[in-house]
Amino acid sequence: MISVEKYEGLTARIALINEEIKRQDVEFYLFVPGELSFSKSILSEDEFYYKVLSNTRTYFTSQHHLPLVHSRLASRDKLPSDKYRVSLSLYAYQYALSLEKTTHRFFDTLADVEEEEAVEQLEVITDMAVEILRRLRRYVPKDESLIKYYNNVDNYLSWLTEQRFLSLIAHMPRSAAFKPIKEQLLAFCESEAAYRIEQNYNSSKAQTDATRMVNKMRLARRLIEYPVTIRQKDVVLGQNLNKLAKGAAAGLVMIFVTVAIIRMRSFLGEITLSFALAMAGLYAMREIFKDDLRDVLWRFIRKGRPKWRKMFTDPTSGQRIGSQLEWLDYIPFDKIPDDVRKMRKGKLRQREESVVKIKMVTQMSTTKFLSGYDMTREVWRIDFRPFSRLMARGKERYYALSDGQVTRESIDKRHQFNLVSKQKNQDGSFTIQRWKITVNRSKVIDVEEVFS
């Protein structure tokens, strides 16, 4: 299961759910518009990996009731404190993700749905949020240390829900159909604000200082994510092979230089000025061709091999629970698989585009997962800032005729990237998906999944 959405600014987010399988093979093909003239000379493969891509992995579960079951057990002193914290963090984390995604999706689809349908969607969102917070607050742990952790989570979820609902109110159409749900959302936000004051979650200074409150909640979000975020260690592969390539290149060049010196010595005889000049020329050629030969050998040796390995460790037990091999290559048009090329469509434009292939092979030991969890959620972020620097400045002029008058409008210059994923299923078949990512110099405008 793969989803792509716009995130913040010039960032798009890819989410992959690693389900109950030990091995997962996924390939991504990023098609960069030809008008940007993007190539390996502008950003090398290693620079692309470190500057454009970043990722995190967390525990995930489809059993939404599980953390609440753990909460009840903890309230009866039947669950260790570390498991309770992880369960509560997972519950809060999944709720926060769902709430943010749902409200973002509502904004994106608001113009495409009828008012009655939009109001129904808002009612469903409100009811679900109220029910989730009610369930969370039904079981409060008795242990003092767990109460402190619970208060931090409850405080953050209350504040986040209020903020997302206030954003819904701010962008809500000003029509009579939305008035009842608007009043309902306002009442809910007021009750949550009063609830936090009643529980004495935040100091009076934090309540009156927006910057201080936002920073405090940002830290609370990190506290929630910490117990469910799987630790990962990046290992660069091929370092010994790189040394071998350097050694082989130096050895081959020295063989050539040695043979040339012996030939010159027999031809020129005594050591003269011409012999010294010839020696200088040979050593100059050695320095020139040594690096080129090393690069050729290195590309040959590294071709088709994984370039990075990630080692995954459970944040609670410290056990190694899996690993992931990663490839990243710039590939020509004729090396693109036929099924991916067919999904991309647009043959003329496709031939002008630069293509970056990213491949990941993940192996997880689900038996070593935290008790009760059998999935992980991996999030990759694509930063389009390196591409935005290649985009031309300025705006396009658009002229239109309206009621006999000519109107002029400034239009942002936008570029469309295409992202195609190819995921191998358990039965050996492949699932291929495609998204259009529209970007200008300042932000990701839109992410649209294209169905064949």
Side-chain angles (χ1 to χ4, degrees):
M1 179 180 176
I2 300 176
S3 62
V4 181
E5 60 185 4
K6 60 182 180 180
Y7 188 49
E8 297 176 350
L10 280 162
T11 306
R13 185 165 64 181
I14 306 171
L16 300 86
I17 303 298
N18 285 96
E19 299 181 3
E20 300 176 52
I21 55 176
K22 293 184 178 180
R23 178 186 172 100
Q24 185 177 62
D25 294 25
V26 182
E27 295 177 2
F28 289 100
Y29 295 84
L30 180 65
F31 294 81
V32 182
E35 60 265 24
L36 298 184
S37 301
F38 180 77
S39 66
K40 186 185 298 186
S41 60
I42 295 175
L43 203 65
S44 69
E45 294 165 348
D46 289 349
E47 288 174 330
F48 189 101
Y49 181 82
Y50 290 110
K51 291 183 179 181
V52 177
L53 302 176
S54 62
N55 81 311
T56 56
R57 184 182 292 268
T58 60
Y59 279 119
F60 192 81
T61 180
S62 58
Q63 301 175 10
H64 300 291
H65 66 282
L66 184 59
L68 293 179
V69 172
H70 285 187
S71 178
R72 290 197 296 270
L73 291 174
S75 66
R76 299 170 188 168
D77 299 324
K78 294 182 179 180
L79 191 71
S81 60
D82 55 344
K83 288 189 176 181
Y84 170 75
R85 292 181 181 182
V86 173
S87 297
L88 191 61
S89 291
L90 182 62
Y91 184 77
Y93 177 66
Q94 291 191 217
Y95 168 67
L97 286 180
S98 300
L99 181 64
E100 291 168 346
K101 189 172 183 178
T102 302
T103 51
H104 278 304
R105 188 185 297 121
F106 175 79
F107 292 141
D108 293 338
T109 60
L110 184 59
D112 302 327
V113 299
E114 299 292 335
E115 286 187 348
E116 292 183 0
E117 184 179 351
V119 171
E120 290 179 2
Q121 292 178 5
L122 286 173
E123 289 176 348
V124 171
I125 294 172
T126 305
D127 293 342
M128 289 182 64
V130 171
E131 178 63 17
I132 289 172
L133 292 179
R134 184 184 65 81
R135 289 185 180 184
L136 174 70
R137 294 163 183 170
R138 185 185 300 172
Y139 304 102
V140 180
K142 299 178 181 179
D143 190 333
E144 187 66 30
S145 61
L146 297 184
I147 288 179
K148 185 176 180 181
Y149 193 81
Y150 165 84
N151 288 343
N152 283 324
V153 172
D154 188 30
N155 185 25
Y156 175 76
L157 294 186
S158 173
W159 178 83
L160 177 68
T161 307
E162 178 191 13
Q163 289 296 304
R164 299 313 303 170
F165 281 5
L166 289 176
S167 69
L168 288 174
I169 295 171
H171 295 87
M172 194 177 296
R174 300 180 181 277
S175 64
F178 288 91
K179 186 176 180 181
I181 188 63
K182 181 179 180 180
E183 293 176 352
Q184 182 180 347
L185 291 175
L186 284 172
F188 177 82
C189 293
E190 290 173 354
S191 66
E192 286 300 310
Y195 171 78
R196 294 195 301 275
I197 294 174
E198 178 185 347
Q199 299 296 322
N200 197 26
Y201 281 159
N202 306 296
S203 65
S204 57
K205 290 184 178 180
Q207 293 174 21
T208 56
D209 188 340
T211 302
R212 189 166 180 171
M213 179 65 77
V214 170
N215 287 330
K216 178 179 179 178
M217 294 304 169
R218 178 176 56 84
L219 294 176
R221 177 66 173 257
R222 291 185 61 186
L223 180 68
I224 290 172
E225 293 178 354
Y226 183 83
V228 297
T229 301
I230 295 172
R231 308 293 177 260
Q232 61 183 33
K233 179 182 178 182
D234 296 344
V235 180
V236 180
L237 301 178
Q239 293 181 338
N240 292 331
L241 290 176
N242 192 13
K243 294 177 182 178
L244 178 63
K246 290 180 180 180
L252 291 173
V253 171
M254 283 306 299
I255 290 174
F256 171 78
V257 171
T258 303
V259 172
I261 290 174
I262 294 173
R263 292 274 185 169
M264 285 191 301
R265 182 73 177 82
S266 62
F267 179 75
L268 296 174
E270 299 295 331
I271 298 177
T272 61
L273 178 61
S274 59
F275 180 80
L277 291 175
M279 287 285 293
L282 281 173
Y283 278 101
M285 292 177 62
R286 185 195 72 168
E287 294 301 318
I288 292 172
F289 291 107
K290 184 179 68 174
D291 291 340
D292 292 339
L293 181 59
R294 181 197 64 192
D295 292 341
V296 170
L297 287 173
W298 176 231
R299 285 197 297 270
F300 177 77
I301 293 173
R302 200 180 189 187
K303 185 177 180 180
R305 295 176 178 271
K307 299 177 180 178
W308 299 274
R309 177 188 284 123
K310 284 186 169 67
M311 315 293 287
F312 301 124
T313 305
D314 182 90
T316 305
S317 66
Q319 280 189 319
R320 178 179 167 183
I321 59 175
S323 63
Q324 179 170 281
L325 295 175
E326 297 172 354
W327 292 254
L328 192 149
D329 299 285
Y330 292 81
I331 61 174
F333 174 80
D334 56 357
K335 297 294 183 181
I336 301 172
D338 291 338
D339 49 2
V340 174
R341 192 183 310 171
K342 182 179 179 181
M343 188 67 177
R344 167 63 186 91
K345 301 180 181 179
K347 293 183 179 179
L348 180 61
R349 287 187 59 194
Q350 193 183 74
R351 289 184 178 276
E352 299 176 348
E353 294 173 327
S354 302
V355 184
V356 183
K357 177 185 176 182
I358 306 156
K359 180 180 178 181
M360 294 164 286
V361 176
T362 309
Q363 292 184 315
M364 305 296 288
S365 300
T366 56
T367 56
K368 297 180 181 179
F369 281 10
L370 193 69
S371 177
Y373 305 105
D374 49 24
M375 300 183 190
T376 61
R377 179 178 186 269
E378 184 178 16
V379 175
W380 283 88
R381 293 180 179 85
I382 303 178
D383 189 347
F384 286 91
R385 282 180 295 180
F387 301 109
S388 69
R389 301 186 185 103
L390 304 175
M391 299 177 186
R393 295 179 180 273
K395 296 179 179 293
E396 298 286 348
R397 303 296 184 191
Y398 175 74
Y399 296 89
L401 188 63
S402 177
D403 298 329
Q405 301 292 325
V406 176
T407 60
R408 185 179 67 176
E409 186 177 355
S410 296
I411 304 297
D412 286 332
K413 292 182 179 180
R414 297 179 177 181
H415 300 269
Q416 190 175 92
F417 295 75
N418 279 267
L419 181 68
V420 178
S421 70
K422 183 177 179 180
Q423 185 176 16
K424 188 174 183 179
N425 302 318
Q426 296 186 51
D427 59 1
S429 62
F430 292 93
T431 299
I432 301 178
Q433 297 172 262
R434 175 186 167 207
W435 296 267
K436 291 181 181 179
I437 305 176
T438 306
V439 183
N440 64 11
R441 284 183 58 88
S442 59
K443 64 179 180 178
V444 175
I445 303 295
D446 183 48
V447 176
E448 176 189 359
E449 185 170 1
V450 181
F451 300 95
S452 58

